């Protein structure tokens, strides 16, 4: 894979950190911050020309099994995105919340070239290992980005261009990253605007697929501000439980409809409609026009009935988390558990940083996470 001379790349990294780049791009501040961490915190070498770490087949299979629900919710999103960008020489990558490639789509005749570049299932793209790259930047900043050629921290990747976007759970936790990468592309960053937008749209579709799968036991309100798009591609999703409460909303719904930051909430507090009307079997066969409570904004929607029965729980317990096995901890264990959870939250659930805060090795941290039954919010 072609890349720039190591000495030239090192100079560019230093110049960008120092603010000496002429006509800096919109993401320069994010790149400079990532460069500093890569140099100062992780002690990475920008002149390195080795590829990323690749997991063994057994390690990858174990991770894929743990991400089974996430992978199933992607449906045909990866192949469809690849069909849009394949003629320009792109592959499409799906990474989990730790930056591990768990799925990808690439033309068969280009597979060897992409594998040589590290764009392959099992490749690890966290910032602590590879420095600045598309997937790592999204994992940290939770915002879409294009890392174009020499924007990459390591010289090994300065021939690549990567456009990546975050994928969130229904509760707003980052669960993965969608990325489209090319081995060769025009030098101008503007040439990647369309690809970045397509990746964003693909990430949103995966989010909504994960939402629908996660709340298949609920009645789903699929809505759009334009009645002509409700059947084709609804933009807002609301999950309504058997009690008539909105228990979850997708990202677009939370942005458009006020009051969805704190759930559950009765439907009638959000929409001028009784829950019984939504539960009516006829609602699934007709288009509904619903007005937001206390406003003049109208939504057009259809209703999807629950695909599986809800777990029987008393109404009084609907706001409580699902019951879990009760584990008795000693006082020292409880104190250690609290300390580890605080460190993981401060490190945004990045094990290497959390281990450093706690003064223990990453292997020890992983062992204690398992022993103390500590699970990341998006895994619960």
């Amino acid at each position: 894979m072609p890349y720039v001379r190591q000495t030239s790349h090192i100079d560019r990294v230093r110049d960008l950190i120092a603010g000496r780049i002429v006509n800096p791009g919109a993401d320069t501040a994010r790149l400079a911050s990532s460069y500093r961490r890569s140099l100062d915190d992780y002690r990475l070498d920008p002149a390195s020309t080795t590829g990323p770490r690749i997991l063994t087949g057994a390690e990858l299979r174990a991770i894929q099994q743990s991400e089974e629900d996430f992978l199933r919710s992607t449906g045909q999103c990866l192949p469809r995105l690849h069909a849009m960008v394949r003629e320009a020489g792109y592959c499409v990558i799906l990474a989990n919340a730790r930056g591990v490639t768990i799925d990808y789509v690439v033309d068969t005749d280009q597979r060897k070239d992409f594998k040589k570049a590290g764009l392959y299932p099992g490749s690890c793209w966290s910032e602590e290992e590879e420095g600045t790259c598309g997937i790592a930047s999204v994992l940290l900043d939770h915002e879409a980005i294009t890392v174009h050629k020499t924007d990459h921290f390591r010289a090994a990747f300065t021939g690549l261009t990567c456009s990546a976007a975050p994928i969130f759970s229904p509760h707003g936790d980052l669960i993965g990253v969608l990325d489209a990468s090319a081995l060769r592309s025009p030098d101008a960053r503007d040439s990647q605007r369309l690809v970045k937008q397509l990746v964003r749209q693909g990430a949103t579709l995966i989010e909504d697929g994960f939402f629908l799968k996660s709340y298949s036991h609920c009645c789903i309100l699929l809505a759009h501000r334009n009645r002509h798009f409700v059947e084709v591609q609804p933009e807002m999703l609301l999950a309504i439980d058997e009690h008539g409460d909105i228990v979850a909303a997708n990202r677009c719904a939370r942005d458009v409809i006020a009051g969805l930051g704190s759930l559950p909430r009765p439907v009638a507090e959000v929409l001028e409609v009784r829950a019984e009307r939504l539960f009516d079997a006829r609602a699934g066969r007709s288009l509904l026009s619903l007005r937001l409570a206390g406003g003049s904004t109208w939504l057009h929607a259809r209703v999807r009935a629950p695909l599986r029965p809800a777990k029987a729980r008393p109404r009084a317990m609907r706001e409580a988390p699902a019951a879990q096995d009760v584990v008795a901890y000693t006082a020292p264990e409880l104190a250690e558990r609290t300390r580890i959870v605080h460190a993981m939250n401060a490190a945004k659930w990045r094990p290497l940083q959390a281990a450093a805060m706690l003064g223990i090795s990453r292997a020890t941290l992983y062992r204690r996470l398992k022993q103390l039954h500590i699970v990341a919010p998006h895994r619960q």
Side-chain angles (χ1 to χ4, degrees), residues 102-265:
I102 56 176
D103 197 7
Y104 87 139
V105 180
V106 64
D107 278 346
T108 304
D109 59 350
Q110 294 183 315
R111 186 167 297 172
K112 288 184 179 179
D113 292 334
F114 278 100
K115 183 177 182 180
K116 189 181 299 183
L119 301 172
Y120 192 73
S123 54
C124 302
W125 295 100
S126 66
E127 187 182 68
E128 63 199 49
E129 290 193 78
E130 302 304 329
T132 311
C133 61
I135 292 174
S137 295
V138 171
L139 290 177
L140 288 166
D141 300 331
H142 295 190
E143 294 181 11
I145 193 173
T146 292
V147 178
H148 188 52
K149 293 192 169 183
T150 54
D151 290 344
H152 289 85
F153 178 79
R154 289 178 52 185
F157 309 129
T158 51
L160 300 177
T161 185
C162 307
S163 292
I167 302 169
F168 296 100
S169 76
H171 302 292
D173 302 308
L174 185 75
I175 56 175
V177 179
L178 183 64
D179 174 277
S181 293
L183 302 180
R184 300 169 189 83
S185 59
D187 290 335
R189 286 176 56 87
D190 288 349
S191 65
Q192 303 306 307
R193 285 184 178 179
L194 178 58
V195 173
K196 181 180 177 182
Q197 183 59 28
L198 292 173
V199 172
R200 272 179 168 158
Q201 292 174 354
T204 299
L205 289 175
I206 293 174
E207 274 184 25
D208 289 348
F210 189 76
F211 183 101
L212 293 171
K213 183 174 180 62
S214 300
Y215 288 93
S216 59
H217 61 285
C218 289
C219 175
I220 303 292
L221 190 71
L222 303 101
H224 202 290
R225 285 164 287 190
N226 187 320
R227 64 179 293 118
H228 302 293
F229 290 96
V230 174
E231 298 291 342
V232 184
Q233 190 172 331
E235 59 180 353
M236 285 170 269
L237 305 176
L238 300 176
I240 304 168
D241 69 8
E242 68 272 23
H243 304 298
D245 292 340
I246 298 174
V247 293
N250 72 344
R251 211 177 350 158
C252 181
R254 293 195 299 269
D255 290 341
V256 172
I257 305 174
L260 294 181
S262 179
L263 295 175
R265 289 191 66 186

